[in-house]
Amino acid sequence: MMKLNSALIVLLSMNLFGTAQSLKQEEQVLSIVPIDMRRVEELALLLPEKPRGFGMPIDNRQIWDSMHASGDFMHLINSADDFLDEPYPQLTDEIYLSFFNSNDSERSKNLIVKRRNILSTWVLAECLTDDGKYLGAIKHAILDIIALKSWNFPAEDRQKTNFHGTQYTINLSPAAYAHELAQTMYLLGDRLDNTLRKKLLKSLYIRVFDPALQAVETNNANKAFVSLTNTGNHNAVTLSGVTGAALCVINSPIERAKFVAMAERYILNSFQGYLDDGYCTEGISYFNYGFNHIILLRENILQATGNSLDIFSNNEKIKKIALFATHMEIANGVFPAIGDCSPYPKPNVNIVEYLNKSLGISNASGEAATIKLIPPLTNLMYFFPNNMLVTTIVAGERPNIGVRSFFEIGGILNVRSGDKESKHLAGCIKGGNNAEKHNHNDLGSFSVVKGDELLMGDPGLPIYTSKQFSPHRYTIKTNASYGHPVPLIDNRQQSAGIDARARIIRKHFTDTLDILEMDISSAYDVPSVNYIIRKFAYKRQPEVCLEVVDSVSFSKPVSYETALITRGTWKQVSETCIEIRKGEEKVTVDIDVPGGRYTVQEETITESQLPYKRIAIKIDKPFSSGSVKLSFSDRENFVAIF
C-alpha cells in the first residue's frame, strides 16, 4: 500500500500542470482601469464620421429590394404578419417577479427574448418591404420597452435594483436590448420620428452607456458592469452588445472610441477563459453563444475601423479555440453534453465556417453554413460583406477527424475507431475539475456513441430555475455527480470546487489502444478513501470496445455504486450484462465487480426537458479494495482488454 501511494504521489506531482495553468489563467484577468484617452484619440481617427451598424439602412433600396425580390425571406415577412395579428406581449410586474415568488426562471426570460425577437422581425420585414406596414407596431414596441422598469432578466437583478430604478446594471439582457434597439435606429433612420429617436437614445444612455462608462471610471464601485472582469461568455456577450450599440447610434467619434477602447481591453478576459489548448469549459452550447458574440464584436470593430483594429491579432490561442468545436465531435456528428450544454448539442456551423475562413483553416466542419435571416438583428452580419475570406476555403467532403482528440489541459479525450464512416463505438472521457464554468460535478464522466446515437453519457443541463446559479445548485441531481456515470462512495457524491480535480496519472496512445488513467480521489469527501483510480481503455483492433475500470482502496469496507446514464431503453440480458438501445443502435455493458454480486436499479430523472434514466449498479456488499469494470462493446467477437 505504501509503495503504491508513494508512486501515485510522484505521478500526481508530475500532472498538476493542467489545474495549475487553469488557476494561473484566472489570476491573469485584466482589472478595471480608467480609459486611456490617448488610445481613445487614436481610435477616434479610425472611426467614420457617422455611426454605423450591421447591414444597410432602409433607404438603401437597391440592396433591400434585391433581397425582397429573391423570395428567400418570405418566412420572415410571414412571421411579421402573424405577429401583427396579436397584441404585443406584455411583460407585467407579476411575470417579472415570478422568478422571486415561484422559483420560475424561464417564464420571464423566455418572454423577454420573445418580445425582442418580435420587434426585430418587424424591423427586418419593414426593411425588406418599405411599405410602412410594420412601423406602427415597431414604434409601440419601442415605447413599451423604454417604459419597462428593468431591461434585465430577473435572475440578473436579484437585488431588484433595476426593477426599482435605484441602480441600472449591464448584464446579458440589457446588452441585447441595447444592440437590438440601436440596430433598429440605425436601420430605420428617419422612419422613426425625431421625438421617438431622442427618447430611445436617452434610454440607451441611462440604462447602458452611462453605467458602462461610470463602471470603468469608478473601478466598478456600484457593480454595474461586473462582466468586464468575467472570463466566461457573459464578458463577450455584454461587450459585444454595448459596443455594437454605441457604434450604431452615438454621433461623436471620440465617444464611440471610448467604447471601442473598453472592448479592446476587456475582451482579452474572454480569451483568457479558454484554456491554452483551446478547450472551452462551458461546453458546446455556451461556446456557440459566447464565441458568436466575440465574432460580432470583432466584425463591428473591424468594419468601424476600416479593418485597422482586429481583436484576433497577436493572439496565438485563437486558432486552437477555432478548432475546439471540430475536435469535440465524438463521432458521426455527435457531441458530448458536458456541463450546462443542451442535450445533443452541435456547433453553430456559421461560427465554424466564419472561423475557418477568416483564419485560413481548412473547412473542418465539412458543412456549408445555411444561414436563415431570423432575429436578432445582429444576424445581418452574415448577409452583408464581412471578413470571412470566402474565396479561400470552400465546403467540401467531410474530413476524417482522426482516431482521437485530446485536450490535455482540459482533461478531455475523444476516442474513435478512425473510420469516418464507422458505426463502431466511440467515446468521450472527461477529467478537469469541479469548479469549471457552468460546471457539473462530473470528474471521470464519459459518453458512449455508436453510429450516430449517443447511447450513454452526460445528460446536459436541467431546466433552469432560480436554484441553478445559487448555493443550492448541486441539490439538482443533473448538476450533481448523481446524474452522471460516476461512482457514489459510501453513499456520498462528488464535492464541488477547485480542490476536486482529476489528476491524469497515465496516458498511453497508440493506433490500436488508447489508455487514460486519472485519480479522482479528491472529489470524494470520504475519510476512508485511500485512492480512487478510474482507467479508460479504448481498443480499436481487432474489435472495438471501451472499458472503464475503477481501482479503489478504502481504510474500511464501504458501499459502492456506479451508474449508467441514458435516454435509450435498456434490459439486463444476463447476470453480468446489460444492453442499451437507442434508435437502431445498441451497446452491451459487461459488468465485473468485487464479489460478483450487484443490484440494478432504474430511476427516471425529469429535471431536463428530455428526461433520462439513471441505471444504478449497486454492489451488494461493502468492500475495502478491488476493481469495478464496465466493458462496452457490440459483443461481436468481444474480448476484454484487461
Side-chain angles (χ1 to χ4, degrees), residues 6 17 22 31 43 55 61 70 99 179 184 232 263 329 352 413 438 445 461 473 488 522 528 547 586 627:
S6 298
F17 174 72
S22 179
S31 61
L43 292 170
R61 294 315 310 161
S70 72
F99 171 81
H179 208 171
T184 297
E329 180 178 359
V352 173
L413 174 65
H438 288 275
S445 184
L461 67 105
R473 177 178 176 86
L488 285 179
S522 62
S528 58
E547 286 190 356
K586 71 174 182 177
S627 295

Side-chain angles (χ1 to χ4, degrees), residues 223-234:
K223 308 298 181 186
F225 201 173
V226 295
S227 58
L228 288 175
T229 53
N230 182 279
T231 59
N233 67 75
H234 286 220

Side-chain angles (χ1 to χ4, degrees), residues 15-56:
N15 285 279
L16 290 173
F17 174 72
T19 299
Q21 183 173 25
S22 179
L23 288 172
K24 182 180 179 182
Q25 291 182 184
E26 293 295 329
E27 294 170 355
Q28 294 175 347
V29 170
L30 290 174
S31 61
I32 295 176
V33 297
I35 294 174
D36 182 348
M37 288 307 298
R38 286 181 297 180
R39 181 57 177 160
V40 168
E41 291 171 0
E42 293 171 354
L43 292 170
L45 295 175
L46 302 175
L47 297 176
E49 181 181 349
K50 294 182 179 180
R52 58 165 293 179
F54 288 129
M56 290 291 177

Side-chain angles (χ1 to χ4, degrees), residues 128-259:
L128 287 164
T129 60
D130 193 29
D131 58 9
K133 181 177 183 180
Y134 309 99
L135 284 177
I138 290 169
K139 293 173 183 178
H140 170 76
I142 291 172
L143 289 171
D144 185 281
I145 292 169
I146 289 173
L148 289 175
K149 293 180 179 178
S150 171
W151 283 5
N152 280 258
F153 296 135
E156 300 173 327
D157 190 24
R158 290 176 183 264
Q159 303 304 313
K160 302 178 189 172
T161 61
N162 292 270
F163 184 77
H164 293 305
T166 58
Q167 171 72 47
Y168 292 116
T169 57
I170 300 168
N171 292 291
L172 303 177
S173 183
Y177 266 126
H179 208 171
E180 290 297 280
L181 291 168
Q183 276 282 154
T184 297
M185 283 184 61
Y186 166 71
L187 292 169
L188 295 183
D190 60 10
R191 302 296 198 281
L192 303 178
D193 63 77
N194 196 46
T195 300
L196 180 59
R197 290 176 64 84
K198 286 182 177 179
K199 284 183 179 179
L200 179 49
L201 189 59
K202 180 180 179 181
S203 191
L204 286 169
Y205 270 96
I206 292 172
R207 307 269 192 155
V208 176
F209 297 150
D210 287 342
L213 293 173
Q214 290 166 6
V216 173
E217 294 304 319
T218 64
N219 195 23
N220 218 2
N222 293 326
K223 308 298 181 186
F225 201 173
V226 295
S227 58
L228 288 175
T229 53
N230 182 279
T231 59
N233 67 75
H234 286 220
N235 175 278
V237 174
T238 54
L239 276 175
S240 176
V242 172
T243 308
L247 291 172
C248 275
V249 298
I250 293 178
N251 284 319
S252 165
I254 283 285
E255 194 171 355
R256 265 180 277 142
K258 291 180 181 179
F259 289 91

Side-chain angles (χ1 to χ4, degrees), residues 66-100:
S66 175
M67 291 173 67
H68 188 203
S70 72
D72 293 339
F73 306 100
M74 286 308 300
H75 66 279
L76 191 143
I77 294 171
N78 291 336
S79 294
D81 290 342
D82 290 342
F83 290 140
L84 284 180
D85 292 338
E86 301 176 0
Y88 189 58
Q90 294 300 293
L91 178 63
T92 64
D93 289 356
E94 183 271 330
I95 294 173
Y96 189 89
L97 295 173
S98 65
F99 171 81
F100 304 95

Side-chain angles (χ1 to χ4, degrees), residues 237-483:
V237 174
T238 54
L239 276 175
S240 176
V242 172
T243 308
L247 291 172
C248 275
V249 298
I250 293 178
N251 284 319
S252 165
I254 283 285
E255 194 171 355
R256 265 180 277 142
K258 291 180 181 179
F259 289 91
V260 176
M262 287 171 55
E264 180 185 31
R265 174 178 174 82
Y266 298 108
I267 194 60
L268 297 178
N269 287 332
S270 211
F271 294 132
Q272 193 64 35
Y274 294 85
L275 301 185
D276 283 348
D277 56 9
Y279 182 67
C280 175
T281 64
E282 293 186 289
I284 291 290
S285 296
Y286 278 100
F287 172 81
N288 287 343
Y289 182 47
F291 215 91
N292 183 58
H293 283 84
I294 290 178
I295 288 171
L296 293 174
L297 180 63
R298 182 198 190 217
E299 276 294 320
N300 251 323
I301 293 175
L302 275 170
Q303 294 181 24
T305 61
N307 292 341
S308 295
L309 177 59
D310 184 356
I311 62 173
F312 282 6
S313 294
N314 302 316
N315 192 325
E316 297 178 357
K317 197 188 296 185
I318 286 294
K319 280 200 173 183
K320 292 181 180 179
I321 297 171
L323 291 170
F324 162 75
T326 297
H327 290 305
M328 280 304 291
E329 180 178 359
I330 303 174
N332 301 318
V334 181
F335 294 78
I338 292 173
D340 279 352
C341 276
S342 302
Y344 310 112
K346 287 186 180 295
N348 182 321
V349 293
N350 298 338
I351 294 174
V352 173
E353 183 178 56
Y354 178 93
L355 290 171
N356 290 343
K357 290 180 178 179
S358 63
L359 297 174
I361 302 170
S362 63
N363 189 10
S365 72
E367 298 181 45
T370 54
I371 308 169
K372 188 175 183 179
L373 184 56
I374 58 174
L377 295 173
T378 50
N379 279 333
L380 285 170
M381 187 206 89
Y382 292 102
F383 287 83
F384 289 82
N386 60 56
N387 286 277
M388 287 195 293
L389 304 178
V390 294
T391 59
T392 302
I393 306 294
V394 296
E397 181 184 356
R398 185 176 186 82
N400 188 337
I401 54 177
V403 297
R404 81 183 62 81
S405 300
F406 185 40
F407 294 91
E408 186 162 9
I409 301 171
I412 299 290
L413 174 65
N414 286 330
V415 286
R416 316 173 187 95
S417 69
D419 179 358
K420 65 182 179 181
E421 304 299 331
S422 172
K423 301 284 278 187
H424 288 308
L425 290 177
C428 175
I429 296 156
K430 184 184 182 302
N433 66 75
N434 281 347
E436 295 165 341
K437 299 177 182 68
H438 288 275
N439 173 73
H440 291 188
N441 290 340
D442 56 3
L443 300 191
S445 184
F446 62 102
S447 298
V448 177
V449 169
K450 188 168 186 294
D452 58 0
E453 293 285 359
L454 181 67
L455 289 169
M456 199 229 62
D458 295 292
L461 67 105
I463 296 171
Y464 278 0
T465 68
S466 60
K467 293 169 63 175
Q468 184 71 9
F469 300 105
S470 78
H472 305 291
R473 177 178 176 86
Y474 297 108
T475 62
I476 301 171
K477 293 177 179 178
T478 304
N479 295 336
S481 65
Y482 188 84

